[in-house]
């Protein structure tokens, strides 16, 4: 049978699921793996799926796609836009959307597996396809590793993966070395003393403490990091209080930190902690703030030799000029845990999902940042083609590059 990849993508887009809740998505994946005659195990790391194609002697190539969605209300206006809702870890009912393109990742990997099965006489070796949950929590790859995926399946000689992004459709972006930043997610709880809104002098107001902390944190990048270096300090959420005439007892901040390497990470973390504790002390807090690390992601570092080899393969397959160096992305990924734990090279690349004419028009006008929705936007929607076909082709070219080709 031949998979209808566009229909598959539309179905996945209509039915997004939050991290570690990807049960329907896993079911769709295993249904197609069964139809393709590919052996698999499900429920790895809670909702993950791993499959294997054994085709004689040769290298073991791992291909990875993530599959979770985000708590974002879709505003694309597409006929197949998501209206799904889910329950977040705090028990809140939230809208759910594939705002990061993981539905496209799953579609491309299933399409690549179909093509690799159909051409088994042209290559030898072993392919392990990993459909990973909870990338958005930065926890899915480690959950699968903790559940023994590296021991239950042939260990990789190389790990490969890709991510759809707002580049012109058909374009591939990849660079040697650090491709994506390291990241930490922090929850900071500022402890004050609550009371009546009419008597602030009897309280220690954590809302004011939070406001001062947020503003001061912005000086880390603007005043304490060399302008030639890369760092991001984002306060993504603030939660405090329930009513306008009650000063609450605490405020919570959720931070996202990004940096290119471990040395920069240590410096930024020290500065964040210093500011958080100093602002609490300046506010007269009777208890020190509580700083909890929710996740830590290493930098996504592409192996220099494997990347150079793959760029040549992409150029040969798609033509000179198709592959660009997009620079280091300050977003973060957890795919590298598979390669790090196995001690093998990683190559992770981006492929474009934006209508090429629309991108060219925005680029000429200098309005790409304004007019081209990026990942995590409620307006993010890759064009179906050539995004689907290029995503499939890129994975097939990459896998075949690192597998053995039998002599004619």
């Amino acid at each position: 049978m031949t998979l209808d990849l566009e229909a598959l993508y539309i179905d996945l887009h209509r039915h997004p699921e939050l991290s570690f809740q990807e049960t329907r998505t896993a079911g769709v994946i295993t249904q197609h793996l069964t139809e393709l005659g590919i052996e698999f195990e499900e429920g790895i790391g809670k909702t993950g799926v791993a499959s294997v194609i054994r085709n004689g002697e040769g290298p073991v190539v791992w291909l990875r796609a993530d599959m979770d969605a985000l708590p974002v209300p879709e505003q694309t206006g597409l006929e197949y836009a998501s209206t799904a809702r889910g329950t977040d870890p705090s028990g809140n009912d939230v809208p759910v959307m594939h705002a990061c393109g993981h539905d496209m990742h799953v579609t491309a990997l299933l399409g690549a597996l179909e093509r690799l099965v159909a051409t088994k006489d042209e290559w030898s070796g072993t392919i392990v396809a990993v459909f990973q949950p909870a990338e958005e929590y930065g926890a899915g790859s480690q959950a699968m590793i903790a559940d023994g995926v590296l021991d239950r399946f042939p260990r990789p000689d190389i790990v490969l993966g890709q991510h759809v992004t707002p580049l012109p459709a058909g374009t591939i972006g990849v660079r040697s070395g650090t491709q994506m930043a390291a990241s930490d997610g922090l929850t900071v709880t500022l402890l004050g003393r609550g009371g009546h809104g009419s008597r602030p002098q009897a309280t220690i107001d954590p809302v004011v403490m939070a406001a001062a902390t947020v503003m001061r944190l912005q000086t880390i990048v603007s005043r304490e990091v060399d302008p030639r270096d890369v760092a991001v300090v984002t306060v993504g959420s603030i939660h405090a209080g329930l009513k306008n005439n009650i000063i609450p007892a605490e405020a919570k901040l959720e931070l996202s930190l990004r940096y290119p390497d471990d040395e920069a990470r240590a410096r930024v973390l020290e500065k964040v902690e210093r500011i958080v504790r100093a602002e609490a002390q300046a506010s007269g807090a009777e208890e020190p703030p509580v700083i909890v690390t929710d996740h830590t992601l290493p930098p996504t570092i592409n192996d220099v030799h494997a990347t150079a080899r793959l760029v040549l393969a992409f150029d040969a397959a798609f033509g000179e000029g198709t592959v660009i160096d997009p620079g280091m992305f300050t977003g973060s990924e957890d795919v590298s845990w598979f390669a790090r734990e196995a001690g093998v090279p990683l190559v992770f690349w981006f492929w474009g999902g934006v209508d090429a004419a629309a991108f060219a028009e925005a680029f000429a006008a200098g309005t790409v940042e304004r007019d081209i929705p990026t990942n995590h936007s409620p307006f993010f929607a890759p064009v179906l083609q050539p995004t689907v076909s290029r995503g499939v082709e890129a994975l097939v070219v990459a896998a075949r590059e690192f597998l053995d080709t039998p002599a004619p």
Side-chain angles (χ1 to χ4, degrees), residues 3 27 31 50 52 65 70-73 102 105 118 124 138 186 202 210 240 253 261 269 291 305 314 327 352 408:
L3 297 179
Q31 174 189 340
V52 59
L70 287 159
V72 172
H102 297 185
H105 303 174
S124 64
L186 306 182
L253 310 178
D261 51 47
L269 284 173
I291 304 173
H305 299 294
F314 282 152

Side-chain angles (χ1 to χ4, degrees), residues 208-255:
V208 175
M209 194 188 311
T213 301
V214 170
M215 294 304 296
R216 186 70 181 184
L217 286 171
Q218 305 314 302
T219 66
I220 293 175
V221 175
S222 67
R223 289 296 177 269
E224 298 194 53
V225 173
D226 190 314
R228 295 167 295 182
D229 295 336
V230 176
V232 177
V233 177
T234 293
V235 180
S237 74
I238 304 176
H239 296 276
L242 297 171
K243 198 171 185 296
N244 67 347
N245 65 346
I246 302 173
I247 293 174
E250 65 178 43
K252 284 192 176 182
L253 310 178
E254 292 183 333
L255 279 63

Side-chain angles (χ1 to χ4, degrees), residues 164-227:
V164 68
T165 202
L167 291 170
T171 300
I172 292 175
V174 64
R175 71 194 312 259
S176 295
T178 303
Q179 176 68 90
M180 299 184 75
S183 171
D184 282 281
L186 306 182
T187 296
V188 174
T189 303
L190 300 169
L191 303 171
R193 185 170 66 236
H196 201 288
S198 68
R199 301 185 69 247
Q201 77 279 6
T203 73
I204 299 172
D205 192 337
V207 176
V208 175
M209 194 188 311
T213 301
V214 170
M215 294 304 296
R216 186 70 181 184
L217 286 171
Q218 305 314 302
T219 66
I220 293 175
V221 175
S222 67
R223 289 296 177 269
E224 298 194 53
V225 173
D226 190 314

